[in-house]
């Protein structure tokens, strides 16, 4: 502070010097130059200031600010002189050269606070005036601020002031009296013990007058004095004790307004000594006389010191109105920016437009949200798929294990893998083969499950069976594996060959060779086909079926009981070669047992009555069922039909009855177009009767049946060699050939193991060859 007034003084000298040296310079250059010089001078002064400060920055506890000053050259004009009296200890600042003490000053409000005398008017109890002082205030160029009020204290008091306002005389006053004591209240200055009145604006001088109505006699409590004074608002608070003790108070603070000179802003602004410079502006609201400076909004400092108004860092102080989520930046001189968050628009001010999300941001946010949602969705689905796939893999692995896949693999590899036995397929292979189990690929559906036609990658056509299996115990799994292994090893031309299986599904899928011509049942019972299938073909089919069953019963290392022999399970290929199929119900009978207790299973009408009673499964059960098949071949009727009269419902029983009654011819299939009953039919009928014996022991074995049928067939062919020429031309050739020892080896490319083939040696001797080789 102290350097600025003196700096100002120096500038004047320097400025005149420069103006002389460079007479022609533009205003902006001038301004720039001033600034440069100022800075230079500031450096100079700062250096010289240390030698001896010429201007005091304060006097006592009052800070002296320009245009006031207390030393020569430190104040603007003598009107702003502060006399600092240091002769009595504590320095006391006096206004100009008067006895008026300055207690505060403000450049921003252009005010100065002075201590003015309190007027008094005292009487003794007899009503004689003891003393009276009525101070006057006469200060050139300043005015009494309207922020003061005029106060009078006393119980018999009448006080007023007069002064010059503009060019008029003006004044006002108030009366204070005391009624009863109780009415005098602390803090209340409304005419009882105390009164106050506002000071009019623009009063320049003041003459104070104090009067009493009754010289302070005739009042309840004797109160000797009246007091009157001007005081800054808020600096005096009436107390009832003031009536007695106010004698000791001699001065009260009062505000004085000041201005520079007696010219208006417009008159003064072009003068060299004009003080409002830099970010200081001349206050146009002030009517004069004189002018006032004030810092521009957003700046602070002493407006009367050129270039002292500095930008306020509103953000640093926190006195800004930026919204909470807006960032306050003090980037504009005299102002600041409230920066809204990214994607928000507006001035960011609480009293302004605030911060609002702009449209593009809404779109962006929307796009962002949806993009991330999509990404999340993709990620989640991906994760889901991965997990699902993993779960599926684990499930498949579990099923593979559960279904004995490992065991099976071991069994297969243990066999040396020498031939195309059961292959373990993967789910994918079979899915591809069946076109994902397409409906159009279904070739059979029933209680056992569904059979699909499939094409393997090597173009082999296969039938894929999806069984319906109940839950499996470990023993059942092992059995299943055994079955698969054994069936896969069966390489009999009259048994549908198991190509492989898939164990990755809960229910194992079985893959069989594909037999194109449907089931025997279709051929016997559907009208369109029945005519084509002659007695000779029927006999051949019966023989082949018997051979297959015989083979199952005795050939494999472990006997296999088919358990569900019926025309539905006998498939025919293009040459009517029979293929026994569906081992879904089949059971292996361990070597040390000849019978096996099981839950009765099979198809009604074909079921062995003994087995139904005892639950003891033996190979003779298959013999019984085969007997029913023979009956069906002979009669062309269904094994069980509720459409028929009661005695005819069970075909087997009805057939036996008819046979016994000698009415065989009546029950024979009329589509066989027979004129009389040939001996072959009689032979077959007798065989059938034996097969259908109630007691299993009385039935022939399958092997015996097969041999007998082979015999009947070959004698029939010898008798009528022309019979079967219509069914297959090739067969004629075989008639002339030597019997082939092992038919199975030939037809199956030598894949059958020795054990199996040797089992059939005996059978082969009685061959059925012309038919057997039919491809
Ligand atoms: C300073 O004040 C004392 C008394 O307080 C007075 O005697 C003296 O004259 C004053 N000096 C000036 C320069 O006003
Ligand atoms: C002096 O004046 C300033 C501004 O008007 C005020 O803030 C401050 O309190 C005053 N000081 C005293 C001691 O009255
Ligand atoms: C203005 O003040 C100057 C001195 O400061 C004085 O000479 C002049 O007479 C005044 N003018 C008016 C109109 O008061
Ligand atoms: C600061 O800027 C705002 C917006 O631009 C405006 O409304 C305000 O009046 C300015 N304040 C100052 C002190 O210039």
């Amino acid at each position: 502070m102290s350097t600025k007034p003196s700096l100002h003084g120096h500038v004047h000298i320097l400025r005149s010097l420069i103006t002389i040296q460079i007479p022609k310079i533009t205003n902006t250059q001038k301004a720039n130059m001033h600034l440069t010089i100022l800075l230079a001078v500031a450096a100079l002064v700062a250096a010289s200031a240390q030698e001896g400060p010429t201007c005091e920055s304060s006097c006592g506890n009052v800070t002296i600010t320009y245009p006031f000053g207390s030393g020569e050259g430190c104040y603007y004009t003598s009107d702003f002189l502060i006399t600092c009296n240091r002769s009595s200890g504590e320095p006391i600042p006096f206004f100009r050269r008067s006895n008026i003490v300055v207690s505060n000053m403000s450049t921003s409000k252009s005010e100065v606070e002075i201590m003015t005398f309190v007027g008094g008017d005292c009487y003794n109890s007899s009503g004689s005036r003891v003393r009276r002082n009525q101070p006057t205030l006469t200060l050139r160029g300043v005015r009494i601020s309207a922020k003061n009020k005029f106060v009078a204290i006393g119980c018999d008091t009448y006080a007023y002031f007069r002064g010059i306002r503009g060019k008029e005389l003006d004044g006002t006053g108030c009366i204070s009296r005391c009624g009863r004591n109780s009415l005098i209240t602390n803090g209340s200055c409304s005419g009882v013990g105390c009164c106050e009145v506002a000071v009019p604006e623009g009063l320049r001088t003041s003459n104070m007058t104090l009067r009493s109505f009754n010289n302070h006699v005739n009042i309840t409590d004797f109160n000797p004095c009246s007091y009157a004074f001007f005081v800054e608002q808020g600096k005096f608070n009436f107390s009832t004790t003031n009536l007695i003790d106010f004698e000791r108070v001699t001065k009260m603070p009062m505000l004085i307004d000041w201005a520079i000179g007696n010219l208006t802003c417009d008159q003064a602004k072009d003068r060299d000594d004009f003080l409002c410079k830099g970010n200081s502006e001349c206050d146009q609201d002030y009517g004069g006389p004189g002018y006032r400076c004030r810092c521009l909004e957003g700046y602070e400092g002493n407006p009367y010191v050129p270039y002292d108004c500095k930008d306020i860092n509103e953000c640093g102080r926190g006195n800004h109105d930026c919204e909470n989520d807006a960032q306050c930046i003090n980037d504009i001189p005299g102002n600041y920016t409230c920066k809204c968050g990214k994607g928000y628009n507006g001035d960011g001010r609480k009293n302004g437009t605030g911060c609002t999300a702009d449209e593009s941001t809404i779109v962006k946010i929307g796009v962002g949200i949806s993009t991330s949602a999509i990404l999340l969705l993709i990620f989640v689905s991906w994760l889901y798929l991965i997990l699902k796939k993993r779960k599926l893999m684990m499930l498949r692995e579990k099923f593979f294990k559960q279904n004995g896949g490992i065991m099976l693999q071991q069994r297969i590899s243990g066999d040396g893998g020498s031939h195309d036995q059961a292959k373990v397929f993967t789910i994918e292979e079979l899915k591809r083969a069946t076109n994902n189990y397409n409906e159009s690929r279904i070739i059979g559906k029933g209680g056992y499950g569904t059979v699909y036609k499939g094409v393997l990658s090597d173009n082999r056509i296969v039938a894929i069976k999806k069984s319906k299996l109940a839950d499996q115990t470990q023993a059942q799994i092992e059995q299943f594996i055994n079955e698969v292994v054994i069936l896969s090893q069966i390489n009999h031309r009259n048994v549908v060959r198991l190509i492989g299986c898939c164990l990755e599904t809960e229910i194992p899928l079985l893959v069989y060779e594909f037999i194109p011509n449907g089931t025997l049942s279709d051929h016997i019972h559907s009208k369109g086909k029945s005519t084509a299938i002659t007695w000779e073909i029927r006999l051949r089919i019966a023989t082949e079926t018997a051979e297959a069953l015989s083979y199952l019963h005795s050939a494999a290392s472990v006997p296999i009981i088919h358990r569900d022999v019926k025309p539905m399970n006998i498939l025919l290929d293009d040459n009517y070669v029979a293929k026994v199929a569906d081992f879904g119900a089949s059971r292996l009978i361990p070597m040390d047992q000849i019978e096996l207790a099981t839950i009765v299973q099979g198809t009604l009408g074909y079921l062995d009555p003994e087995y139904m009673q005892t639950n003891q499964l033996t190979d003779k059960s298959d013999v019984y069922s085969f007997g029913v098949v023979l009956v069906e071949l002979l009669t062309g009727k269904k094994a069980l039909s509720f459409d028929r009269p009661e005695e005819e419902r069970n075909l087997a029983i009805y057939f036996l009855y008819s046979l016994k009654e000698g009415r065989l011819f009546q029950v024979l299939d009329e589509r066989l177009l027979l004129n009389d009953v040939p001996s072959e039919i009689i032979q077959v009928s007798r065989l059938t009767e034996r097969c259908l014996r109630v007691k299993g022991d009385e039935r022939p074995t399958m092997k015996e049946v097969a041999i007998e049928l082979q015999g009947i067939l070959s004698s029939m062919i010898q008798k009528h060699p022309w019979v079967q020429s219509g069914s297959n031309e090739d067969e004629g050739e075989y008639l002339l050939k030597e019997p082939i020892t092992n038919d199975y080896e030939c037809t199956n490319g030598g894949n059958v193991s020795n054990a199996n083939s040797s089992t059939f040696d005996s059978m082969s001797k009685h061959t059925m060859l012309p038919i057997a080789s039919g491809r």
Side-chain angles (χ1 to χ4, degrees):
M1 276 301 171
S2 67
T3 60
K4 272 160 193 165
S6 60
L7 176 148
H8 184 82
H10 285 292
V11 172
H12 274 281
I13 302 156
L14 278 166
R15 188 189 284 151
S16 50
L17 278 173
I18 286 165
T19 318
I20 293 159
Q21 281 175 344
I22 312 159
K24 278 184 184 176
I25 44 174
T26 67
N27 272 349
T28 38
Q29 282 171 327
K30 210 168 171 182
N32 286 343
M33 206 161 285
H34 281 177
L35 189 64
T36 322
I37 291 157
L38 262 170
L39 291 172
V41 171
L44 262 175
V45 170
S48 62
Q50 283 152 356
E51 290 162 18
T54 45
C55 299
E56 291 150 311
S57 64
S58 65
C59 179
N61 50 15
V62 176
T63 303
I64 300 168
T65 48
Y66 195 76
F68 291 94
S70 79
E72 194 58 41
C74 293
Y75 43 85
Y76 179 62
T77 60
S78 58
D79 286 352
F80 298 96
L81 168 68
I82 298 291
T83 308
C84 192
N85 189 333
R86 289 188 167 84
S87 55
S88 56
E90 175 78 357
I92 299 162
F94 288 98
F95 192 71
R96 298 178 186 164
R97 298 187 194 278
S98 70
N99 60 350
I100 297 168
V101 174
V102 174
S103 53
N104 200 355
M105 60 177 66
S106 160
T107 50
S108 60
K109 292 173 188 162
S110 302
E111 286 168 350
V112 66
E113 188 189 74
I114 55 172
M115 301 304 290
T116 51
F117 292 101
V118 173
D121 181 24
C122 294
Y123 297 82
N124 60 21
S125 52
S126 55
S128 316
R129 176 176 276 131
V130 179
R131 69 166 183 96
R132 177 157 81 157
N133 67 317
Q134 299 175 113
T136 59
L137 186 66
T138 316
L139 289 170
R140 184 177 33 92
V142 298
R143 288 181 287 179
I144 297 167
S145 170
K147 289 177 189 170
N148 299 299
K149 56 193 179 176
F150 180 72
V151 179
I153 296 172
C155 281
D156 182 17
T157 304
Y158 160 35
Y160 63 89
F161 62 91
R162 289 161 164 272
I164 297 166
R165 191 166 168 248
K167 290 189 168 90
E168 309 284 303
L169 203 63
D170 200 356
T172 184
C174 68
I175 295 167
S176 172
R177 311 194 68 167
C178 298
R180 275 166 292 143
N181 243 1
S182 60
L183 288 173
I184 308 167
T185 323
N186 281 342
S188 167
C189 197
S190 52
V192 182
C194 172
C195 72
E196 63 181 25
V197 67
V199 174
E201 187 95 50
L203 198 68
R204 277 192 276 152
T205 59
S206 153
N207 248 325
M208 188 191 292
T209 306
L210 276 164
R211 292 277 159 82
S212 165
F213 298 102
N214 296 308
N215 296 350
H216 288 258
V217 293
N218 300 340
I219 50 175
T220 325
D221 281 325
F222 178 70
N223 155 263
C225 292
S226 292
Y227 305 100
F229 49 91
F230 289 95
V231 70
E232 199 181 330
Q233 271 167 20
K235 290 270 170 112
F236 171 71
N237 201 8
F238 175 67
S239 155
T240 50
T241 56
N242 290 157
L243 291 169
I244 305 138
D245 68 5
F246 212 71
E247 191 62 29
R248 56 181 178 84
V249 180
T250 56
K251 288 172 186 172
M252 290 300 276
M254 172 185 185
L255 282 180
I256 300 292
D257 290 335
W258 52 266
I260 307 290
N262 53 12
L263 300 174
T264 64
C265 288
D266 292 336
Q267 291 164 336
K269 69 172 186 253
D270 291 327
R271 291 168 60 106
D272 283 343
D273 61 356
F274 184 59
L275 288 181
C276 313
K277 287 204 173 112
N279 293 313
S280 173
E281 62 177 352
C282 193
D283 182 2
Q284 297 288 355
D285 299 335
Y286 180 69
Y291 67 88
R292 283 173 168 183
C293 296
R294 64 180 178 200
C295 285
L296 292 168
E297 222 185 321
Y299 292 84
E300 64 182 0
N302 187 342
Y304 297 96
V305 175
Y307 310 104
D308 191 60
C309 290
K310 301 277 157 49
D311 176 44
I312 299 171
N313 185 356
E314 293 89 351
C315 303
R317 290 190 198 172
N319 62 338
H320 55 81
D321 72 340
C322 289
E323 288 209 335
N324 291 340
D325 51 353
Q327 188 194 356
C328 179
I329 304 166
N330 191 46
D331 56 347
I332 299 170
N335 210 334
Y336 54 95
T337 310
C338 298
K339 198 178 168 204
C340 291
K342 215 179 166 200
Y344 286 83
N345 271 340
D347 64 6
R349 290 171 192 258
K350 285 169 189 162
N351 296 327
T353 57
C355 289
T356 47
D358 59 11
E359 254 172 59
S360 68
T361 309
I362 293 167
V363 171
K364 271 182 211 160
I365 288 172
V367 168
I369 287 174
S370 40
T371 307
S372 35
I374 287 167
L375 287 178
L376 192 73
L377 202 72
I378 289 170
F379 176 73
V380 166
S381 341
W382 174 76
L383 204 68
Y384 174 75
L385 285 178
I386 293 272
L387 288 177
K388 199 176 154 185
K389 200 167 174 180
R390 221 182 108 154
K391 201 179 152 191
L392 203 68
M393 298 279 281
M394 282 166 70
L395 207 64
R396 281 181 191 177
E397 209 167 300
K398 184 188 146 202
F399 288 142
F400 187 78
K401 279 181 191 158
Q402 180 183 312
N403 290 330
I406 290 166
M407 212 190 301
L408 184 61
Q409 271 178 340
Q410 284 167 351
R411 291 280 295 266
I412 290 169
S413 57
D415 274 353
S418 57
H419 30 61
D420 54 358
Q421 294 176 328
K423 184 184 170 204
V424 178
F425 290 95
T426 64
I427 277 188
E428 279 74 23
E429 279 178 289
L430 298 187
K431 239 183 195 169
R432 265 200 305 279
T434 56
N435 194 10
N436 197 16
Y437 303 103
N438 196 300
E439 291 263 343
S440 65
R441 296 294 187 90
I442 294 176
I443 51 175
K445 215 169 185 177
Y448 54 85
T450 311
V451 181
Y452 296 86
K453 184 180 177 179
V455 182
L456 296 182
S457 49
D458 58 3
N459 286 330
R460 256 192 301 173
I461 298 176
V462 293
I464 296 165
K465 192 167 118 180
K466 239 180 169 176
S467 309
K468 284 182 184 168
L469 280 187
D471 51 349
Q472 296 173 327
T473 63
Q474 188 57 36
Q476 279 173 320
I477 291 161
E478 278 172 32
Q479 213 164 45
F480 170 80
I481 294 306
N482 270 333
E483 229 167 284
V484 171
V485 169
I486 288 161
L487 286 179
S488 71
Q489 285 171 352
I490 292 173
N491 226 338
H492 192 283
R493 68 186 291 265
N494 297 117
V495 175
V496 172
R497 203 159 74 83
L498 182 78
I499 293 171
C501 59
C502 171
L503 303 161
E504 289 169 18
T505 49
E506 186 177 12
I507 297 156
L509 295 166
L510 297 175
V511 182
Y512 295 97
E513 70 173 309
F514 180 71
I515 311 297
N517 211 3
T519 68
L520 175 60
S521 178
D522 290 340
H523 286 270
I524 302 173
H525 300 298
S526 65
K527 291 214 164 70
K529 289 174 180 172
S530 57
T531 47
I533 167 169
T534 63
W535 167 239
E536 188 263 338
I537 293 172
R538 292 187 196 201
L539 182 55
R540 187 159 53 88
I541 289 166
T543 310
E544 286 171 346
T545 307
E547 279 166 13
L549 292 172
S550 162
Y551 168 81
L552 290 172
H553 288 181
S554 53
S557 50
V558 179
I560 299 165
I561 297 176
H562 188 286
R563 265 177 115 191
D564 202 10
V565 178
K566 56 182 179 181
M568 219 105 78
N569 287 340
I570 297 166
L571 304 178
L572 299 178
D573 74 2
D574 291 328
N575 297 320
Y576 296 104
V577 174
K579 301 270 186 181
V580 176
D582 199 348
F583 295 83
S586 307
R587 281 292 170 266
L588 302 165
I589 299 184
M591 282 306 216
D592 51 348
Q593 279 174 265
I594 52 157
E595 43 184 41
L596 187 70
T598 64
I599 293 163
V600 175
Q601 203 177 333
T603 308
L604 270 177
Y606 301 90
L607 259 179
D608 173 9
E610 191 184 49
Y611 169 50
M612 274 167 77
Q613 275 174 12
T614 61
N615 287 6
Q616 296 299 310
L617 181 68
T618 66
D619 55 356
K620 294 294 176 65
S621 300
D622 278 353
V623 176
Y624 183 90
S625 303
F626 180 74
V628 181
V629 173
L630 286 178
V631 176
E632 258 184 89
L633 283 169
L634 288 166
T635 62
K637 291 190 172 65
K638 287 188 175 169
L640 194 68
S641 174
F642 293 96
D643 298 335
R644 297 196 290 253
E646 197 175 343
E647 68 273 14
E648 293 180 32
R649 266 181 203 164
N650 187 310
L651 182 65
I653 294 167
Y654 179 61
F655 177 80
L656 289 175
Y657 176 75
S658 303
L659 201 62
K660 209 172 148 194
E661 296 288 303
R663 292 192 281 114
L664 175 62
F665 185 72
Q666 276 102 312
V667 296
L668 289 182
D669 190 350
E670 57 226 28
R671 282 168 292 187
L672 289 173
L673 305 172
L674 301 165
N675 298 322
D676 60 344
V677 184
S679 64
E680 293 85 19
I681 288 188
I682 295 167
Q683 281 175 282
V684 172
S685 299
R686 287 202 184 118
L687 177 62
T688 305
E689 183 269 327
R690 280 192 288 141
C691 289
L692 294 176
R693 294 275 164 86
V694 175
K695 284 191 170 169
D697 289 344
E698 294 175 8
R699 295 172 205 157
T701 62
M702 219 52 236
K703 195 169 179 175
E704 288 162 354
V705 173
I707 292 164
E708 208 170 322
L709 283 174
Q710 281 162 13
I712 297 166
L713 182 63
S714 47
S715 72
M716 180 184 170
I717 292 165
Q718 276 157 18
K719 251 197 296 180
H720 319 281
W722 43 270
V723 185
Q724 27 75 51
S725 61
S727 68
N728 198 321
E729 285 173 348
D730 293 347
E731 282 163 7
E733 281 178 47
Y734 285 98
L735 277 173
L736 309 168
K737 282 184 181 175
E738 274 299 299
I740 295 164
T741 327
N742 196 332
D743 175 23
Y744 311 105
E745 263 190 9
C746 292
T747 45
N748 292 296
N751 283 341
V752 178
S753 66
N754 289 335
N756 284 350
S757 51
S758 61
T759 317
F760 281 93
D761 284 351
S762 58
M763 255 195 272
S764 312
K765 282 169 196 152
H766 307 265
T767 46
M768 53 309 174
L769 274 181
I771 307 107
S773 56
R775 263 176 288 181

